[in-house]
Amino acid sequence: MRFDRRRVALLGGAALFLFAAIATVLIAGLPNRAEFTGRIEDGVLIAPEVGATAPDIKGATPYGDRLDLAAWRGQPVIVNFWATWCAPCRIEMPELETLYRAYGPERLRVIGVNTGEDIEDVLDWIENHQLTFPMVLDPDGQIASSYMLRGQPTTFVIQPDGAISHVFYGPVTRHQLEDILRPYLIEA
Protein backbone atom coordinates (compact mmCIF):
# COMPACT_ATOMS: atom_id res chain seq x y z
CA MET A 1 0.00 0.00 0.00
CA ARG A 2 1.27 3.41 -0.95
CA PHE A 3 1.17 6.46 1.21
CA ASP A 4 -1.07 9.03 -0.54
CA ARG A 5 -0.37 12.54 0.75
CA ARG A 6 -3.28 14.04 -1.13
CA ARG A 7 -5.77 11.66 0.45
CA VAL A 8 -4.35 12.29 3.92
CA ALA A 9 -4.57 16.06 3.35
CA LEU A 10 -8.22 15.77 2.24
CA LEU A 11 -9.14 13.64 5.22
CA GLY A 12 -7.30 15.99 7.55
CA GLY A 13 -9.09 19.01 6.05
CA ALA A 14 -12.47 17.31 6.40
CA ALA A 15 -11.75 16.42 10.02
CA LEU A 16 -10.66 19.99 10.75
CA PHE A 17 -13.83 21.35 9.11
CA LEU A 18 -16.01 18.96 11.12
CA PHE A 19 -14.25 19.94 14.35
CA ALA A 20 -14.76 23.66 13.56
CA ALA A 21 -18.47 23.11 12.86
CA ILE A 22 -19.01 21.19 16.11
CA ALA A 23 -17.09 23.84 18.07
CA THR A 24 -19.21 26.60 16.53
CA VAL A 25 -22.46 24.86 17.48
CA LEU A 26 -21.21 24.19 21.01
CA ILE A 27 -20.09 27.78 21.52
CA ALA A 28 -22.96 29.59 19.78
CA GLY A 29 -25.71 27.06 20.51
CA LEU A 30 -28.49 25.95 18.24
CA PRO A 31 -31.03 28.53 17.12
CA ASN A 32 -34.39 28.72 18.86
CA ARG A 33 -36.74 26.95 16.44
CA ALA A 34 -39.61 29.23 17.38
CA GLU A 35 -37.68 32.22 16.06
CA PHE A 36 -37.76 30.62 12.61
CA THR A 37 -41.27 29.14 12.70
CA GLY A 38 -43.02 32.09 14.27
CA ARG A 39 -43.51 35.82 14.25
CA ILE A 40 -43.52 38.61 16.81
CA GLU A 41 -46.84 40.37 17.48
CA ASP A 42 -46.92 43.15 20.07
CA GLY A 43 -43.69 41.82 21.56
CA VAL A 44 -45.06 38.25 21.88
CA LEU A 45 -43.59 35.28 19.99
CA ILE A 46 -46.37 33.44 18.15
CA ALA A 47 -45.27 30.01 16.92
CA PRO A 48 -46.41 26.37 16.81
CA GLU A 49 -43.65 25.46 19.27
CA VAL A 50 -43.51 24.48 22.93
CA GLY A 51 -43.06 27.62 25.02
CA ALA A 52 -44.38 30.03 22.38
CA THR A 53 -47.87 31.51 22.22
CA ALA A 54 -50.13 29.38 20.03
CA PRO A 55 -51.19 30.82 16.67
CA ASP A 56 -54.81 31.92 16.71
CA ILE A 57 -57.48 29.72 15.20
CA LYS A 58 -60.40 31.47 13.59
CA GLY A 59 -62.82 29.60 11.43
CA ALA A 60 -66.24 28.23 10.72
CA THR A 61 -67.64 25.13 12.34
CA PRO A 62 -69.47 22.55 10.22
CA TYR A 63 -72.70 24.04 11.62
CA GLY A 64 -71.92 27.55 10.37
CA ASP A 65 -70.86 29.09 13.69
CA ARG A 66 -67.59 31.00 14.08
CA LEU A 67 -64.85 29.90 16.47
CA ASP A 68 -61.96 32.01 17.78
CA LEU A 69 -59.27 30.39 19.94
CA ALA A 70 -58.31 33.76 21.49
CA ALA A 71 -61.75 33.98 23.11
CA TRP A 72 -60.81 31.01 25.31
CA ARG A 73 -57.72 32.61 26.85
CA GLY A 74 -57.73 31.79 30.57
CA GLN A 75 -58.68 28.14 30.02
CA PRO A 76 -56.58 25.17 28.98
CA VAL A 77 -57.22 24.16 25.38
CA ILE A 78 -56.50 21.02 23.39
CA VAL A 79 -56.20 21.55 19.63
CA ASN A 80 -56.39 18.34 17.63
CA PHE A 81 -55.77 18.13 13.89
CA TRP A 82 -57.57 15.14 12.41
CA ALA A 83 -58.97 13.64 9.21
CA THR A 84 -61.77 11.20 8.39
CA TRP A 85 -59.29 8.91 6.56
CA CYS A 86 -56.89 8.83 9.53
CA ALA A 87 -56.95 5.42 11.28
CA PRO A 88 -55.24 6.64 14.49
CA CYS A 89 -57.83 9.44 14.68
CA ARG A 90 -60.53 6.77 15.08
CA ILE A 91 -58.76 5.58 18.22
CA GLU A 92 -58.03 9.05 19.55
CA MET A 93 -61.42 10.76 19.06
CA PRO A 94 -63.25 8.78 21.77
CA GLU A 95 -60.41 9.63 24.17
CA LEU A 96 -60.78 13.34 23.44
CA GLU A 97 -64.56 13.17 23.72
CA THR A 98 -64.39 11.37 27.09
CA LEU A 99 -61.98 14.00 28.39
CA TYR A 100 -64.15 16.85 27.11
CA ARG A 101 -67.29 15.40 28.69
CA ALA A 102 -65.50 14.78 32.00
CA TYR A 103 -64.50 18.43 32.44
CA GLY A 104 -66.89 20.33 30.21
CA PRO A 105 -66.29 23.61 28.42
CA GLU A 106 -66.26 25.50 31.72
CA ARG A 107 -62.90 23.92 32.65
CA LEU A 108 -61.41 22.58 29.42
CA ARG A 109 -61.75 23.43 25.75
CA VAL A 110 -61.14 20.95 22.96
CA ILE A 111 -61.04 21.97 19.31
CA GLY A 112 -60.89 19.57 16.42
CA VAL A 113 -59.44 21.01 13.20
CA ASN A 114 -60.26 19.26 9.93
CA THR A 115 -58.25 20.33 6.91
CA GLY A 116 -59.63 20.27 3.40
CA GLU A 117 -62.32 17.62 3.65
CA ASP A 118 -65.90 17.74 2.43
CA ILE A 119 -68.33 19.14 5.02
CA GLU A 120 -70.71 16.17 4.62
CA ASP A 121 -67.87 13.76 5.42
CA VAL A 122 -66.94 15.81 8.49
CA LEU A 123 -70.57 15.92 9.70
CA ASP A 124 -70.90 12.14 9.21
CA TRP A 125 -67.68 11.60 11.20
CA ILE A 126 -68.91 13.83 14.04
CA GLU A 127 -72.24 12.00 14.17
CA ASN A 128 -70.74 8.50 13.90
CA HIS A 129 -68.30 9.21 16.73
CA GLN A 130 -70.88 11.13 18.80
CA LEU A 131 -68.55 14.08 19.22
CA THR A 132 -69.71 17.15 21.12
CA PHE A 133 -66.58 19.30 21.25
CA PRO A 134 -66.26 22.10 18.67
CA MET A 135 -64.82 21.43 15.25
CA VAL A 136 -63.31 23.96 12.86
CA LEU A 137 -63.13 23.53 9.12
CA ASP A 138 -59.84 24.47 7.47
CA PRO A 139 -60.77 24.17 3.78
CA ASP A 140 -57.71 25.96 2.40
CA GLY A 141 -55.19 24.72 4.97
CA GLN A 142 -54.40 28.12 6.48
CA ILE A 143 -54.78 26.90 10.07
CA ALA A 144 -52.71 23.78 9.35
CA SER A 145 -50.07 25.99 7.74
CA SER A 146 -49.91 28.35 10.73
CA TYR A 147 -49.36 25.29 12.96
CA MET A 148 -46.87 23.78 10.46
CA LEU A 149 -48.85 20.57 10.50
CA ARG A 150 -46.70 17.50 9.77
CA GLY A 151 -49.44 14.89 9.79
CA GLN A 152 -52.59 13.71 11.48
CA PRO A 153 -53.37 13.30 14.22
CA THR A 154 -51.38 16.07 15.84
CA THR A 155 -52.40 17.51 19.20
CA PHE A 156 -51.31 20.79 20.79
CA VAL A 157 -51.87 21.41 24.50
CA ILE A 158 -52.27 25.11 25.23
CA GLN A 159 -52.00 26.52 28.74
CA PRO A 160 -54.47 29.14 30.02
CA ASP A 161 -51.93 31.89 29.23
CA GLY A 162 -51.95 30.84 25.56
CA ALA A 163 -48.52 29.15 25.52
CA ILE A 164 -48.10 25.71 24.00
CA SER A 165 -46.92 23.24 26.64
CA HIS A 166 -46.92 19.98 24.67
CA VAL A 167 -47.20 18.71 21.10
CA PHE A 168 -48.13 15.12 20.29
CA TYR A 169 -47.45 13.73 16.81
CA GLY A 170 -49.68 10.69 16.52
CA PRO A 171 -52.48 9.54 18.80
CA VAL A 172 -52.67 10.71 22.39
CA THR A 173 -54.67 9.21 25.26
CA ARG A 174 -57.02 10.82 27.73
CA HIS A 175 -54.68 9.85 30.59
CA GLN A 176 -51.65 11.49 28.97
CA LEU A 177 -53.63 14.70 28.55
CA GLU A 178 -55.08 14.59 32.08
CA ASP A 179 -51.60 14.22 33.56
CA ILE A 180 -50.46 17.32 31.69
CA LEU A 181 -53.60 19.34 32.38
CA ARG A 182 -54.05 18.30 36.03
CA PRO A 183 -52.85 21.66 37.49
CA TYR A 184 -55.51 23.48 35.45
CA LEU A 185 -58.34 20.99 36.01
CA ILE A 186 -58.32 20.91 39.81
CA GLU A 187 -61.74 21.94 41.03
CA ALA A 188 -61.92 25.25 42.86
Side-chain angles (χ1 to χ4, degrees), residues 57-68 72 82 110-114 119 122-123 126 132-139 143:
I57 295 174
K58 291 182 182 183
T61 72
Y63 304 105
D65 302 321
R66 299 288 302 164
L67 186 141
D68 185 353
W72 294 341
W82 65 278
V110 176
I111 303 171
V113 181
N114 180 278
I119 191 167
V122 172
L123 287 169
I126 292 169
T132 61
F133 57 87
M135 298 287 177
V136 174
L137 300 172
D138 186 20
I143 298 170

Side-chain angles (χ1 to χ4, degrees), residues 7-17:
R7 184 174 291 176
V8 170
L10 284 173
L11 287 174
L16 184 61
F17 178 78

Side-chain angles (χ1 to χ4, degrees), residues 71-89:
W72 294 341
R73 189 64 59 88
Q75 290 182 281
V77 179
I78 296 168
V79 175
N80 176 261
F81 289 87
W82 65 278
T84 59
W85 48 262
C86 167
C89 297

